[in-house]
Amino acid sequence: MTTQTISTILNTLVMVAIVVSALYAVIAKNILTSVIALGATGAFVSLAFILLHAPDVAIAEAAVGAVLSTAIFVIAIRKTTKKGEEEKDED
């Protein structure tokens, strides 16, 4: 296998992972699961930028798309959810 073939296969796998995690973020029933899937989508997008030789954009996407926005969403969910609602969602 040539280097270009391996690169193409890796890029294809990352793109499929982006689509799958984004779709899972949309169709998940639990909001916390959706937020985590959205963070995974950001991480895969960051990996795609690394594969495209754009490390500066990859670092920004990893910081904002994968980490910061996910943390803000999780904190917001935890602060706005009542104790009884958390137990209902887990069942």
Side-chain angles (χ1 to χ4, degrees):
M1 287 181 125
T2 65
T3 306
Q4 186 173 1
T5 306
I6 294 172
S7 177
T8 303
I9 292 171
L10 193 57
N11 279 327
T12 304
L13 289 175
V14 170
M15 293 304 154
V16 168
I18 290 170
V19 171
V20 168
S21 61
L23 286 175
Y24 189 67
V26 172
I27 64 172
K29 296 190 187 257
N30 188 346
I31 193 162
L32 188 58
T33 305
S34 292
V35 169
I36 292 170
L38 189 62
T41 303
F44 285 126
V45 169
S46 178
L47 181 59
F49 283 128
I50 289 173
L51 294 174
L52 293 171
H53 304 288
D56 52 340
V57 180
I59 291 170
E61 175 61 31
V64 175
V67 178
L68 187 63
S69 62
T70 304
I72 290 172
F73 280 135
V74 169
I75 291 168
I77 290 168
R78 291 294 176 203
K79 295 236 182 229
T80 58
T81 314
K82 294 180 183 175
K83 295 280 186 192
E85 290 178 5
E86 287 179 3
E87 293 170 4
K88 287 180 192 177
D89 288 341
E90 292 176 2
D91 293 333

